[in-house]
Amino acid sequence: MRNFRSSKGDEELAAIIQKALVVGRTTFVITNNTCINYIAAVISLYSELEPGEKTYKRVRIGKRLVNIPHPRLKVLLQTLDQCLKNILPRHERCFSYATGVDFIRDMIRPLMVGKRVIAHFDIHKFFDNIRDYHVQEVFERCELPEPGELTKVVTYNGFLPQGSPVAPTISNAVLVDIDESMTIRHNGQERFVYARYSDDIYLATSEHWIPKMLEARLKRLLSAKGFELNPRDTQYMRHNSRQVVMGINVRGVSLNDSAIYIPWKRIERLVEEFLRAKPGSPVAWGKHNYVQRVNTRQSNLLATVLSSRLGDLSNFGVRATQLRTRLEERNGCTKRDVPKAEENTRGKDKEEPGCGPVHSEVG
């Protein structure tokens, strides 16, 4: 285990966290050499919270029900998350919730593009099935202080609550052994590519028989840890059909494509959803951030439309269309410029105006 000890005493660190509890947010940065001390301080301060301050409020965000911790508990968990990001393992083929990792640059382009078969699997109720013993096992493996007490800090009613600041970091570490078992190499080469983004698992290969065999192996590994696949979300996508990875159709994409595009009708739907949402809605901004990561120019268009939020909401579609046309003309890329052969490969998306051959399926 790495040595994270520092010269700062636990009392001094506890005072720093206490100040954050008063402010209501963390205003400090935790370095590697103070992680263990901060963890000890968090455990101590957690024991001093009132029973009502250790609770979560269950709210609906979009289609999901998440648990939002009490504001004082949230500050402690945010502090703890900074520490755990420096300590807990994340497999190289896990691309979720990691600083500096981009799913398009690091996952889709190098691993998914150009494969004959891409299989998608979804872990059924992933966060709801991460139990306290999963979490304590991770803490013990990393030799953290007081793993039992630390598990009580981050779990609620025996589960890792989705919506907690530490849930993404811990969820990555819970499946690190499965990620390693599924990353199989023969003579230093991979016959298939494994990648995971939270509860979404992708297997890409050029041989049709491999995914079916690997599905059985994946089921056995997940079952041993108390998880299971959602059969309704299992997909086998061949090279002669749409291959959708993280909402992006990668069929026909080359590694040299400078940008990936989302259908403009989907952009307009995102605008409508944002205008209906409350100001600062995490759902709306989450959708905008998704667009920004996929395509910067389309993100700028979306931001321009959103800036007119206080205007007449009845004509948002007209404004979006006008801005889209201006953007396409400025960049010299219109529907007329797309070859007919390329349009015919789009299937049902060929009526949607856009500049590129790659389309999104999710928001």
Side-chain angles (χ1 to χ4, degrees), residues 275-345:
L275 294 177
R276 285 202 306 260
K278 296 179 181 179
S281 164
V283 176
W285 285 115
K287 293 178 183 299
H288 177 259
N289 290 338
Y290 170 79
V291 177
Q292 188 175 38
R293 294 179 71 181
V294 174
N295 187 282
T296 304
R297 276 186 273 176
Q298 288 183 315
S299 171
N300 293 338
L301 167 65
L302 181 59
T304 304
V305 178
L306 298 183
S307 66
S308 59
R309 176 186 172 90
L310 299 179
D312 182 6
L313 305 187
S314 62
N315 67 340
F316 76 91
V318 175
R319 294 200 305 273
T321 302
Q322 292 172 345
L323 287 166
R324 178 191 68 205
T325 303
R326 270 185 253 151
L327 182 71
E328 291 178 341
E329 290 176 350
R330 185 169 68 243
N331 295 315
C333 179
T334 64
K335 186 174 178 62
R336 291 188 299 272
D337 298 328
V338 180
K340 291 184 178 180
E342 181 179 314
E343 287 190 31
N344 292 336
T345 64

Side-chain angles (χ1 to χ4, degrees), residues 93-96 171-172 175 179 194-198 200-201:
R93 289 298 172 82
C94 176
F95 299 92
S96 51
S171 68
N172 283 345
L175 294 187
D179 295 336
Y194 168 90
R196 179 170 67 88
Y197 193 99
S198 188
D200 291 304
I201 295 176

Side-chain angles (χ1 to χ4, degrees), residues 39-54:
I39 289 175
V42 167
I43 294 175
S44 175
L45 290 171
Y46 177 80
S47 64
E48 299 175 6
L49 293 180
E50 298 293 333
E53 296 174 339
K54 299 179 181 180

Side-chain angles (χ1 to χ4, degrees), residues 55-89:
T55 58
Y56 291 75
K57 181 180 179 181
R58 197 161 176 82
V59 300
R60 181 176 293 278
I61 297 182
K63 298 180 180 179
R64 295 180 181 271
L65 282 172
V66 299
N67 298 282
I68 306 300
H70 185 278
R72 289 177 66 82
L73 175 60
K74 184 177 180 180
V75 171
L76 294 183
L77 294 175
Q78 288 173 337
T79 303
L80 192 58
D81 186 51
Q82 287 195 54
C83 302
L84 296 180
K85 283 181 178 178
N86 292 325
I87 300 175
L88 297 190

Side-chain angles (χ1 to χ4, degrees), residues 127-148:
F127 282 93
D128 292 341
N129 287 314
I130 300 180
R131 303 294 301 271
D132 49 4
Y133 58 82
H134 290 126
V135 177
Q136 184 165 341
E137 180 185 345
V138 170
F139 292 161
E140 290 175 350
R141 192 189 311 148
C142 296
E143 301 179 17
L144 294 183
E146 302 183 64

